Amino acid sequence: MSAAVQQQRKSFNLFSPFWFWIGFLGIVILIGLYATFLIMTKGLVVTNLTDLTPWGLWIILDLSCIGLGAGAFSISAITYILGQDQFKRLARVAVFIGILGYSGALMALFFDIGRPDRFWHGWVFWNVHSMLWEVTMCITLYFTVLTFEVFPMVVELPFLKRFTWLQNFAHRVHDYTPVLAIVGLGLSLLHQSSLGGTYGVVVGRAALFRATMPILFIVSAVAGGISFTVFITLVVQWIGKRTLVSNNALFAAGQISGAILLLYLYMRFWDTTAGNYGYVPGRSEAFTTLSSGTYAVTFWTWEIFLGGLLAAILLIRARFRQNILLLLIGSGLAAIGLVANRWHTTLLAFTEPLSENPPMTDPLVGSYTPAWTEWAITFMVISILAMIFSLGIKFLPAFRDMSEQTEAAH
Amino acid sequence: MSEHTKDEHAPQGEQIPQSEPAPSGGPTQQGPTRELDRREFVRLIAGLGISAAAAGWVWSAFLAHNDPAEEVNGHGEGPYWVMVIDLEACIGCERCVYACQATNDTDSEHRWNILLTDEETFGQPVFITRPCMHCEHAPCVEVCPVAATYHREDGLVMMDYQRCIGCRYCMVACPYGVRVFNWDDREDETDNEMVPTWGTPEINRRPRGVAEKCTFCSQRIDLAYETGLRPGYDRAVTPACVNICPTEARRFGDLNDPESPVSRAMKGRQAVVLRENLGTHPRVYYLLPEAEEGEEA
């Protein structure tokens, strides 16, 4: 107990690396706030988005945040539905990452839509036929689930201890964790896939119009999401010099995500091979752009070899995975592979001419490089998430060092 | 695992028989193979029923868009508004582009009606002007999360600028690239260089942050319903791009009326729609040039 108190006191030294890190994030956030001011006063004209490339960096950020947040539902499901209690502590980290990831996605969307003042229209005016309607509903509901899952961790904070009604409510909520895991699994199985479906149903763009999109999205999200949770846990343990999760749980989680990553690569292989078997107008051009054109270097390097195959090998082979450094590299690469995939999928959609049918030959093709405002807001969102995460992982009692905390009553 | 989880584990236990024998302690016993008591059973059935009803409602609403036999406004009841563009007559003068920009007060960088040139297919330049196709199975209408773009009763695809949230999914979904976005604030400016030479604005500028597109000059078609004038015959209720065309390459009217300008223009000509394979059923028909390819006159 006295050790914990000392730990708390020590952390309030404002000249520690921790607070420099928080200060650095604060500066990035300030730059982003200036970009926010520009966006809100001048509109999306200050971005590099155009009529022909209407979606860009913020949509990639949104998709990446949700994909990397998939560890929350996956690890919760493994822990509470399959009853694998050794993942309980990892699930807690995953849920914390998850709620931050979904907050980031909501922030990205808030900036991306042309009318942020009408963000609530999605809940009031329904078009149940729209994939985005489904995504809106599911993300809202799942965000609520995540809030309930994180709530008991937050009320453990010392200064909230005296509100007994809050404590009692948190205990009741905590008892429902397995229920929340089931609801979260259901909602995630819907929206992680329908985010892929958002692209998959676009009949006019052959590069996207594939029934495999929803499946590829969810499978890659589970692999990337679990990997990202493992990666962040390892980073926190390394920098903070403490133990959040037992090594065995991390090894096992790495193995699961490696296996799922391999499954994803297999599915991706056949999707690409069968989908480009003959000449498909639009799709073949897009695949050429991806595999030997503009995106060839990043595609082969980050999405396929490093973020796909190497990550899968490092995670699957026990000798590699049980080396903490290789586990760190493997899980980090898998997460990067997921982001690269979302990046390529989004931008590839707009490299394909819309006019490949007989009469028109003028290519209506966009080109896109994100503007500084887009980068500034992207880094602001990431910094906000990193700041809350850093503070939370440092001060929330749920993330105390394993040696200090005995698993009581959970 | 605490006692509050029993409701969720009970149905699972029922579906997946487990090898362990059930504890003999009676209905209040907890465990994976415990029997359901009556109240739990009723609750389970009610829950399933409500879920099934909700899912059924969503599913039926979902399918309402997908019936291939059901056209939004089929040939038969009411007017069937179409635009016919004769590729042989079009000289690429862009007057329809200017008239549209003036009448609908669009930005010159984000026009509703544009000119595309095909230099190759027919050996000589063919000019293709492209308005909104007003598809019967419109991808934009299907994907809009807030139903801000919709089919109105006569089948035209409209925009509700007050509802649009500016997510731009419609622009991703449109196979023809007809949709443009209000990236900038234009409401208070007077910078339309096409006014007054090519026309006068008839509608308000759209607010910043919403998507927009060609409406077939719906304000004029609305006027037709009020006055009884006939689009295609009477200039006051015919789209601006059609009125201004010096070669009568563009015509507008009711395809259900055999005497309408569109019906007469299509007689004996080979008409195509853009990207027919997508099944969008556009309301804009292009008449192919006759001379080079030897199609029947």
Side-chain angles (χ1 to χ4, degrees):
Chain A
M1 189 62 205
S2 68
V5 170
Q6 256 181 353
Q7 176 77 22
Q8 294 268 334
R9 282 214 189 108
K10 224 167 59 186
S11 61
F12 279 101
N13 174 10
L14 279 175
F15 294 98
S16 68
F18 177 79
W19 291 105
F20 273 115
W21 164 242
I22 296 293
F24 167 73
L25 294 177
I27 291 167
V28 178
I29 292 170
L30 282 179
I31 297 169
L33 284 176
Y34 176 60
T36 306
F37 171 75
L38 287 180
I39 302 269
M40 292 302 155
T41 50
K42 297 194 167 146
L44 295 176
V45 68
V46 299
T47 67
N48 276 355
L49 297 167
T50 61
D51 291 335
L52 292 174
T53 315
W55 284 356
L57 188 62
W58 295 334
I59 293 293
I60 297 165
L61 173 68
D62 164 61
L63 294 174
S64 302
C65 278
I66 289 179
L68 295 176
F73 93 86
S74 319
I75 300 175
S76 292
I78 294 169
T79 311
Y80 294 104
I81 301 177
L82 301 182
Q84 301 297 309
D85 283 354
Q86 75 266 31
F87 293 117
K88 262 190 181 170
R89 290 185 66 96
L90 189 63
R92 224 178 281 162
V93 181
V95 164
F96 192 40
I97 292 174
I99 194 168
L100 291 175
Y102 279 74
S103 311
L106 292 173
M107 279 190 263
L109 286 181
F110 181 79
F111 288 112
D112 189 71
I113 60 175
R115 297 295 302 235
D117 55 316
R118 295 180 184 165
F119 71 93
W120 51 274
H121 280 202
W123 302 318
V124 178
F125 304 111
W126 288 15
N127 175 16
V128 300
H129 195 270
S130 171
M131 283 287 169
L132 269 195
W133 172 82
E134 196 274 344
V135 170
T136 309
M137 288 294 161
C138 268
I139 287 184
T140 311
L141 291 172
Y142 184 54
F143 191 76
T144 314
V145 168
L146 283 168
T147 308
F148 275 116
E149 286 183 329
V150 169
F151 173 67
M153 299 187 212
V154 175
V155 300
E156 281 178 14
L157 281 169
F159 67 89
L160 293 173
K161 279 284 182 211
R162 58 201 146 110
F163 301 108
T164 42
W165 60 273
L166 206 60
Q167 302 299 327
N168 293 338
F169 182 58
H171 267 112
R172 275 195 73 84
V173 171
H174 188 83
D175 287 341
Y176 277 92
T177 304
V179 183
L180 292 172
I182 292 171
V183 177
L185 175 68
L187 290 171
S188 297
L189 286 174
L190 283 170
H191 72 254
Q192 293 279 359
S193 320
S194 54
L195 273 174
T198 301
Y199 285 135
V201 300
V202 174
V203 67
R205 298 181 191 268
L208 299 178
F209 188 58
R210 283 141 55 206
T212 47
M213 288 292 274
I215 305 293
L216 290 177
F217 259 58
I218 189 156
V219 177
S220 61
V222 172
I226 298 177
S227 286
F228 187 66
T229 308
V230 171
F231 175 75
I232 291 292
T233 308
L234 287 171
V235 169
V236 168
Q237 296 193 146
W238 177 49
I239 294 177
K241 296 189 180 52
R242 54 182 169 151
T243 313
L244 280 179
V245 180
S246 73
N247 278 351
N248 281 336
L250 289 171
F251 297 154
Q255 182 179 23
I256 293 170
S257 72
I260 295 171
L261 183 59
L262 200 64
L263 172 71
Y264 164 75
L265 290 172
Y266 173 79
M267 291 163 65
R268 182 77 198 272
F269 172 78
W270 278 109
D271 176 55
T272 308
T273 316
N276 293 283
Y277 177 70
Y279 172 66
V280 184
R283 188 183 297 173
S284 300
E285 285 88 344
F287 184 65
T288 309
T289 309
L290 185 65
S291 60
S292 53
T294 324
Y295 298 115
V297 176
T298 50
F299 171 71
W300 290 110
T301 314
W302 292 110
E303 200 180 331
I304 299 301
F305 288 119
L306 297 182
L309 291 171
L310 181 66
I313 292 168
L314 289 178
L315 293 172
I316 287 171
R317 194 156 158 70
R319 236 183 53 211
F320 296 152
R321 159 178 94 231
Q322 287 169 7
N323 174 325
I324 292 291
L325 181 64
L326 291 182
L327 180 64
L328 181 85
I329 293 171
S331 56
L333 285 178
I336 290 172
L338 175 95
V339 176
N341 172 257
R342 301 303 191 259
W343 176 285
H344 292 138
T345 307
T346 301
L347 292 189
L348 204 58
F350 308 113
T351 62
E352 164 205 358
L354 276 177
S355 49
E356 89 277 348
N357 69 307
M360 287 204 271
T361 52
D362 276 357
L364 286 175
V365 190
S367 72
Y368 171 74
T369 321
W372 79 265
T373 44
E374 293 170 73
W375 283 115
I377 287 196
T378 301
F379 284 122
M380 175 182 77
V381 170
I382 295 170
S383 297
I384 292 173
L385 305 181
M387 187 185 273
I388 300 173
F389 183 79
S390 305
L391 292 169
I393 218 83
K394 191 169 183 71
F395 293 117
L396 287 182
F399 301 117
R400 271 190 301 240
D401 197 290
M402 269 182 99
S403 54
E404 292 173 29
Q405 191 183 34
T406 47
E407 279 271 356
H410 290 140
Chain B
M1 216 80 29
S2 76
E3 72 260 289
H4 291 287
T5 68
K6 65 187 175 191
D7 291 353
E8 277 60 38
H9 280 259
Q12 265 201 343
E14 193 186 45
Q15 283 156 10
I16 307 158
Q18 305 205 351
S19 53
E20 288 171 37
S24 52
T28 54
Q29 264 287 345
Q30 287 148 32
T33 57
R34 182 179 56 89
E35 302 266 317
L36 289 175
D37 66 29
R38 183 186 296 168
R39 184 196 273 188
E40 282 172 336
F41 180 75
V42 169
R43 220 190 279 165
L44 175 67
I45 295 298
L48 285 177
I50 291 167
S51 312
W57 178 77
V58 170
W59 188 242
S60 64
F62 179 81
L63 286 183
H65 283 267
N66 290 17
D67 188 351
E70 185 185 303
E71 287 178 351
V72 177
N73 183 25
H75 308 249
E77 31 180 307
Y80 188 81
W81 303 122
V82 300
M83 189 177 284
V84 172
I85 301 175
D86 188 343
L87 297 181
E88 187 165 34
C90 180
I91 54 171
C93 68
E94 283 202 316
R95 281 175 207 204
C96 56
V97 175
Y98 305 150
C100 173
Q101 187 182 332
T103 308
N104 295 301
D105 206 2
T106 65
D107 191 278
S108 55
E109 300 292 313
H110 309 283
R111 287 166 169 159
W112 288 1
N113 178 38
I114 61 168
L115 170 73
L116 303 160
T117 311
D118 178 358
E119 306 271 357
E120 291 152 22
T121 311
F122 297 99
Q124 61 192 25
V126 173
F127 303 105
I128 299 151
T129 56
R130 190 228 54 203
C132 172
M133 303 291 138
H134 290 269
C135 310
E136 278 174 34
H137 297 288
C140 57
V141 172
E142 290 171 358
V143 302
C144 177
V146 295
T149 189
Y150 60 97
H151 282 108
R152 68 180 206 181
E153 242 170 75
D154 61 2
L156 299 191
V157 177
M158 302 298 291
M159 272 297 302
D160 183 342
Y161 303 120
Q162 303 309 312
R163 186 183 280 198
C164 175
I165 59 171
C167 72
R168 306 188 292 286
Y169 193 12
C170 55
M171 302 170 66
V172 176
C174 176
Y176 307 100
V178 310
R179 286 178 163 265
V180 294
F181 193 69
N182 285 280
W183 302 97
D184 211 345
D185 225 330
R186 296 178 58 246
E187 278 174 286
D188 303 325
E189 293 162 30
T190 49
D191 58 351
N192 195 334
E193 68 266 37
M194 299 303 165
V195 178
T197 317
W198 300 98
T200 342
E202 291 175 5
I203 53 175
N204 291 329
R205 286 188 174 180
R206 281 66 61 192
R208 187 182 92 194
V210 300
E212 60 179 49
K213 64 168 195 69
C214 154
T215 61
F216 274 179
C217 286
S218 63
Q219 70 278 8
R220 298 190 179 189
I221 297 171
D222 288 340
L223 186 66
Y225 292 137
E226 287 165 26
T227 58
L229 296 172
R230 292 187 300 168
Y233 296 94
D234 300 304
R235 289 177 61 86
V237 293
T238 303
C241 56
V242 175
N243 284 344
I244 205 151
C245 182
T247 61
E248 293 196 315
R250 277 192 177 218
R251 293 186 180 84
F252 187 82
D254 176 8
L255 201 60
N256 286 342
D257 168 7
E259 291 308 311
S260 71
V262 286
S263 302
R264 277 186 282 132
M266 281 172 75
K267 238 168 238 149
R269 296 289 299 275
Q270 193 180 353
V272 297
V273 294
L274 299 183
R275 307 189 74 175
E276 187 182 11
N277 58 321
L278 302 181
T280 50
H281 292 203
R283 285 167 183 267
V284 176
Y285 292 89
Y286 291 88
L287 304 181
L288 294 183
E290 294 172 304
E292 300 292 318
E293 298 288 305
E295 274 116 17
E296 55 167 351

